[in-house]
Amino acid sequence: MEEKKEYQIKRELNIRKIIITSIIVILIIAIIIIFSLYIAEENFRKWADINILRKDITSEDVATIDLNVDKNNQIFCYNKNICILKEKNLKIYNTSGENITDISVDINTALFTSNDKYLAIAEKRGQEFCVISDKSYLWKHKVDGEILQISINKNGYIALVTTDTTYKSIITIYDSNGNQLLRNYLSSTRVIDVSISNDNKYVALAEMDTSGTLIQSNIKVISIEKAKTNSEESIIYTKEAEASKMIIKVQYQERNELICVYNNSINMIKDEKETELISVDDTITFISGNLNNSIAYIKEEGTGIFNSNSILNILNTSNNQKYTYKFDEIAKEMYSYGNIIGINIGTEIYFVSTNGMLIKKYTSKQEITNVIISNDLAIIIYKDRIEIINL
């Protein structure tokens, strides 16, 4: 009798184990199937993003900062901070819309640039600029001539482009402590864009020469180390673009690939060799090289006589992997920074990562016209307020 009871208990325990194991296996299989569908099936992924993962948000779901409409509010965002410059006072807010610190800066009309935790602010057509790290004021300089552009890398190195009565462009590089590393003078070309490599070794210049009958675009790469001792031998790469190409932007990416955005293509320079990544035709409406390790472009695709949609294409420049994200509407604007791409379609904006996955979809009650993004947040700027979207 005792043995029969023990057998019955063991039998029930075994059945329970089998049932529990079966449930766990079924759950694992279901998770694998759902995950596989999410990765492979675009329609299912879009449905899951909105209905299960709740990536669809509206104005009611986000923090806001009210603006004084009677003041000149100059607005920017970087890292996890939002800043508003007015009357030479820089107010810094967190992602909850709380004012966390104020910094006095001697700047009226600002040129903003950022990289990771660093923010640089310069007086447009003025002489003053300063550098901020997260919420701390680091250093400032006053320069001769007029400031045209300012750029900063992730280590806090500054590239400043100025002009004076003698030179069209003067490029000055500063380290993260404000020490001048080099100065390069250009008498006949105008610098369109400038970028410092992430290892602080190189600075790339996008130049435009308008002195001849045809506009000539050039790319130059300067060795910062060589420029310290011999400026004449500091240019380690130079390339004149074809007559049909007009340079728009240069951007060093994570592995020191230099992305060159032209009006009709995006090229990459690596190991002193330039390769065309994409050719721009009439179906491509927006292009960007302002990403960590990718380029992005939007292509319009007709689906009927009166219908068309937009396809966001993302090409990883390190491994040539390609990702896409489709929209049923025509894109009005594209924004990009780091690993984030924003697509504005009017009263809605999609935020997509560089692996083609939706991060957030934001829906507004009014037309979206002014957007700034960082890797951690996006701000939608209206006349009377800022809406903050955590990414």
Side-chain angles (χ1 to χ4, degrees), residues 85-90 103-108 123:
L85 176 64
K86 56 184 176 183
E87 298 175 341
K88 296 188 176 183
N89 180 58
L90 187 74
I103 299 174
S104 178
V105 295
D106 192 20
I107 292 170
N108 290 300
E123 182 75 51

Side-chain angles (χ1 to χ4, degrees), residues 106-118:
D106 192 20
I107 292 170
N108 290 300
T109 304
L111 292 171
F112 291 101
T113 186
S114 69
N115 201 321
D116 198 17
K117 67 178 181 178
Y118 288 102

Side-chain angles (χ1 to χ4, degrees), residues 6 26 44 46 48 84 178 196 210 249 277 279 334 342 359 373:
E6 286 181 6
I26 290 169
F44 177 79
K46 288 183 177 181
I84 302 175
I196 305 174
T210 57
K249 183 175 181 58
L277 299 177
S279 176
M334 180 171 76
I359 301 170
I373 66 175

Side-chain angles (χ1 to χ4, degrees), residues 3 153 195 219 259 275 287 362 373 386:
E3 289 180 0
N153 76 353
S195 181
I219 303 293
I259 299 301
T275 306
I287 57 176
Y362 166 85
I373 66 175
I386 300 169

Side-chain angles (χ1 to χ4, degrees), residues 115-232:
N115 201 321
D116 198 17
K117 67 178 181 178
Y118 288 102
L119 170 69
I121 313 172
E123 182 75 51
K124 186 178 182 181
R125 287 285 177 179
Q127 297 176 308
E128 186 103 9
F129 74 98
C130 63
V131 178
I132 293 164
S133 175
D134 196 18
K135 296 171 281 291
S136 301
Y137 189 94
L138 293 185
W139 53 271
K140 68 175 182 178
H141 271 316
K142 191 171 184 178
V143 298
D144 297 327
E146 295 181 353
I147 296 172
L148 301 178
Q149 283 187 55
I150 188 167
S151 178
I152 192 166
N153 76 353
K154 69 175 185 178
N155 303 312
Y157 278 55
I158 289 284
L160 192 73
V161 181
T162 57
T163 187
D164 61 18
T165 55
T166 305
Y167 298 98
K168 282 192 175 182
S169 300
I170 305 166
I171 300 92
T172 310
I173 307 298
Y174 301 87
D175 68 14
S176 56
N177 296 313
N179 302 309
Q180 182 180 310
L181 301 179
L182 72 86
R183 179 165 288 176
N184 192 279
Y185 299 87
L186 304 173
S187 57
S188 61
T189 58
R190 182 165 58 92
V191 172
I192 302 301
D193 197 25
V194 60
S195 181
I196 305 174
S197 63
N198 286 329
D199 60 7
N200 312 322
K201 291 182 178 180
Y202 307 104
V203 56
L205 311 177
E207 301 175 358
M208 190 175 291
D209 188 348
T210 57
S211 60
T213 54
L214 295 175
I215 296 174
Q216 177 63 54
S217 294
N218 307 316
I219 303 293
K220 286 182 182 176
V221 177
I222 298 172
S223 166
I224 295 175
E225 192 61 37
K226 288 184 178 180
K228 293 177 184 178
T229 56
N230 190 337
S231 59
E232 293 182 359

Side-chain angles (χ1 to χ4, degrees), residues 237 239 258 267-276:
Y237 179 87
K239 175 69 178 293
L258 180 64
N267 295 10
M268 181 174 71
I269 297 173
K270 186 174 182 179
D271 299 328
E272 300 185 13
K273 181 182 178 182
E274 186 168 355
T275 306
E276 184 176 280

Side-chain angles (χ1 to χ4, degrees), residues 34-41 44-45 48-49 53 55 357:
I34 292 170
F35 182 75
S36 299
L37 282 171
Y38 184 82
I39 296 297
E41 294 293 331
F44 177 79
R45 182 165 66 247
D49 283 339
L53 300 178
K55 294 182 179 182
M357 297 295 180

